[in-house]
Amino acid sequence: MHGQTEVLTPVLVRLIQPTMAGLRPVARASALALAAVMLCALAAETHAAGPRQLLQKPKDAVTGKAIRIHVEYPGNQHAPDILAVRTPKGQMVRLQAQDNNSDGLKGFKSGANVEVRGRWTDPGAPGGRKPPAKLAGVEALDANADIAGKGNGNGNGNGNGNDDTAVQTRFTVDEVKVTSLARNEEDPIITPYVEYEGPLPDFSDELMTRRRSLLQTAGNPVTVSNPLVVRSMTTLFIPIQARTNGNPSLPLCPGTSAAPLTKTQIQQTVFEELSTGDSVGEHFNQCSFNKTKLTMDNSAVADLVTIPCSGTTYGVAWSTATCDFEDFSAWADVADQKLAARGIDVSDYAYKVYMVPPNTACGWLGLGYIGCDGSYACRAWVGGSVWGVPAAHSHELGHNLFMGHAGSISASGVVDEYGDDSCMMGYCCEFRCLNTPHAWQMGWVNLRQFDGNSLPAGTTYTTTIAAQALTSTVQPGIRIVPTWAPSLDPIYVGFRVRTRADNVMPLSMSNRVLVYTSKIANRYDSQFTHLRTTLLPDQSWTYPAANIVIRRQTSNLGAYAAVTVCRRGAIGETASSCANNIDWNCNGLAGADDPLCIPYLK
C-alpha cells in the first residue's frame, strides 16, 4: 500500500493542476489543503491495512504428545486442569485456552498426538524468566525444531535463572488437531451372564413370593468387563530437597524445609510388605485382589535427591521460590538427571512420583498426569505435607491410570467434585478402595449390565450383590445403560462393607447399597463418577429422567445385599398391568397388593 500511495500522489497533483491554474491564491490554497487531507486519509488506510495483513500470516504451531495434569488443592477446591504438549525434543509447553480456562478443552486427552496452533504468550517473569525475543513475531514455528533455543538444556540445574535465551513455555490455543488417538479405546468385553448360585433374599411370605414371580419378568443381563489397565505398577518414588547449589551439605533454599521423612519411613508408607498400617501397595494389591500389584519386587524408593535453588532446563529458567508449571516440571527433570548420574535408569519405571520439597510455594497437595499410555514419561507429584500419606500417592497414581475424580450429586443437583466418600479418587486423605464404576474401569471387577432390551419398561429384576471387598469372582455390582434415554450416563449399583481393604470405610458408606452415575465407557475413559445415593434396607432411589427405581430389600445376608432394579412404565398403574400382576410404576407392589390397582380390580 505504501507503493500505491507514491503512485497516486502525482496523479492527484495532475488532476487538480488545471483547476488550480485559474484560481485565485486563496482558492488555490484551499485546493492544496483538500489534496493534503486526501493524502493523509490514504496514508491512514495504508497504516491500518498493515496489521490486517499481519493477521493473515500463518499461526505458530507446536506438535507432540498431549498431556493433561490434574491439580489437588486442600479443601477439595476445584482447579482447571493443566494442559501441555511434550515436543519430540522433550520440551514441555503449557497451553492456555483463549479464556484462560482449560476446562474448555475437555477433548484434550493425554497421550494423543496433537498439532496445536495459536500464539506464544509471555507468562510473566516469576523466577526471573524472560520472554524470548527470537520467537516474537515469528510467522510459523517448525513443530519438530528444538524450541529450547540456546539454553544449556542439560537439566543439571546449573543455569542462573536469568538466561536471555530462555524459552517461553506458554502457548495460547486457537485450535487443536488430533493427528492420532492416545489409545485404541476398545469397547468393554461382553459375555453371557450366569446367575450366581449363592444366598438369596428370604421370599418366605406370600407377598415376597408374589414379588419374586414378577421380578423375573426382566430379560437376562450380560456380564461386562474391562481388560486390566495395568498388571504391574512399576513405580519409582523420588523424595526431593532443595539446597544451595544442589549440595546436600549447604543450607536449604529459602522458603523450603528439610525432608520430613527418612527413606525407611517412605518405604513403610509405600510398601505393604513393610507397613504396619495403610500403604500405597495395599491399595493396589488388596483392592484389586492382586490383579494390579505394587510391591518391593517391581517398585522402589530412591535415596533423597538434592536440587539447587534455581536453574535452567531445556532453556527454561526455574526456581524453588515459585511453583509454576515450569518450576515443578523442571524439578522432575533435574531429579531424573541426578538419578541418572547415580546409575539409575528412571525409564525402567512406568510411573514416577516426585515428592516435592516441603514448604515450597506450592499450595497443592498433589498433581498427576491424567492417563499414561507408555509412550512418554509418566509423572505425579505429591506436596511436602503429604509425603507420609498413602492415600495422596494412590490418588495421583490413580490419575496416571486414567481415572477421573469421584464426586457426588445431591438430590437438589449440587455437584461436589470430590464428594464421594466411598472412593480413593474422592477427597484426600482417608484410605478407601475404589467405587464400583472406577473398579470396573480398572478391570478389577466384572458387572452385570442391562440396557433397553434386557430391561424393558414395566419390568423388574431382583438379585443379590456381594460386598465389593470380599470377592472378584462374584460380580459385585450392576451397570445399567439407559439406551431408551441416550443422553443420560450409565447407572452403577454396588455394595460395600467394612472388611479387608475396606476395613476403614466411613460408617456412612459401610453396609450401604451405593448408586452412582458416570460416563465411563472403557478402561482409558478419564471421566468423573458421581455418587447419587446410599441405601439402607427398605430404602429406594428413583431416577425420574431414566424412569429407574432401585430398591434395597430387607434381608439378613451379611456380606450380600438384596436389591431390585425396576424400569418404570409410568407413574401410575393401568388396567392391563393390574390384571397381569405387573408393577408398572415400580412402587414395589403389583396386582391386588397395590392400592393403585383397586379401581381396576373391582
Side-chain angles (χ1 to χ4, degrees), residues 313-557:
T313 60
Y314 290 105
V316 179
W318 56 267
S319 171
T320 57
T322 51
C323 190
D324 289 328
F325 169 79
E326 295 79 9
D327 298 313
F328 61 76
S329 294
W331 302 342
D333 291 334
V334 175
D336 287 352
Q337 290 289 333
K338 295 274 189 176
L339 291 171
R342 299 177 187 172
I344 298 173
D345 187 353
V346 297
S347 65
D348 288 341
Y349 300 89
Y351 308 94
K352 271 77 68 178
V353 178
Y354 299 90
M355 305 166 69
V356 304
N359 292 330
T360 60
C362 303
W364 37 259
L365 296 175
L367 307 166
Y369 287 7
I370 305 179
C372 298
D373 65 359
S375 63
Y376 51 91
C378 189
R379 290 174 167 178
W381 294 258
V382 296
S385 64
V386 290
W387 279 27
V389 180
H393 297 265
S394 297
H395 182 107
E396 301 311 327
L397 287 169
H399 285 314
N400 290 168
L401 297 181
F402 296 89
M403 282 189 281
H405 280 148
S408 62
I409 300 179
S410 70
S412 60
V414 176
V415 178
D416 181 344
E417 183 178 338
Y418 295 85
D420 181 5
D421 291 348
S422 72
C423 185
M424 183 66 70
M425 299 310 294
Y427 74 93
C428 184
C429 291
E430 299 297 328
F431 190 91
R432 285 105 58 208
C433 286
L434 297 178
N435 62 23
T436 302
H438 276 317
W440 175 76
Q441 178 188 358
M442 293 295 97
W444 295 356
V445 299
N446 302 336
L447 301 176
R448 281 160 282 185
Q449 179 169 289
F450 288 94
D451 58 16
N453 292 324
S454 52
L455 192 68
T459 58
T460 309
Y461 175 78
T462 190
T463 189
T464 56
I465 53 178
Q468 186 172 298
L470 284 180
T471 176
S472 64
T473 56
V474 179
Q475 295 164 19
I478 297 170
R479 183 174 189 251
I480 305 164
V481 182
T483 52
W484 60 92
S487 64
L488 299 180
D489 298 341
I491 304 161
Y492 297 80
V493 184
F495 180 54
R496 306 283 286 279
V497 298
R498 300 186 84 179
T499 185
R500 294 186 71 250
D502 270 343
N503 64 351
V504 291
M505 276 281 291
L507 288 174
S508 60
M509 298 288 110
S510 180
N511 196 27
R512 294 329 197 250
V513 167
L514 308 174
V515 182
Y516 312 85
T517 55
S518 177
K519 295 181 184 296
I520 294 173
N522 57 64
R523 58 177 170 168
Y524 300 131
D525 194 11
S526 302
Q527 301 286 349
F528 287 178
T529 63
H530 294 108
L531 177 66
R532 305 301 293 260
T533 193
T534 66
L535 299 178
L536 291 168
D538 285 330
Q539 290 183 334
S540 64
W541 177 72
T542 301
Y543 191 18
N547 277 317
I548 286 290
V549 178
I550 297 169
R551 178 174 285 103
R552 182 178 179 185
Q553 298 179 5
T554 298
S555 60
N556 185 22
L557 301 174

Side-chain angles (χ1 to χ4, degrees), residues 134-192:
K134 69 183 184 67
L135 288 181
V138 293
E139 294 187 14
L141 178 67
D142 180 358
N144 295 313
D146 184 356
I147 65 171
K150 298 179 181 179
N152 58 31
N154 59 14
N156 63 9
N158 291 330
N160 58 16
N162 292 300
D163 186 354
D164 286 339
T165 63
V167 174
Q168 279 179 300
T169 53
R170 304 290 176 89
F171 194 82
T172 297
V173 179
D174 289 332
E175 56 184 312
V176 177
K177 178 182 179 182
V178 177
T179 57
S180 66
L181 295 176
R183 283 272 193 171
N184 293 323
E185 297 188 349
E186 67 273 285
D187 292 331
I189 301 168
I190 294 178
T191 57

Side-chain angles (χ1 to χ4, degrees), residues 281-295:
E282 180 184 1
H283 174 248
F284 289 100
N285 305 336
Q286 296 294 325
C287 296
S288 74
F289 301 95
N290 287 316
K291 293 180 178 180
T292 296
K293 301 191 73 172
L294 191 156
T295 68

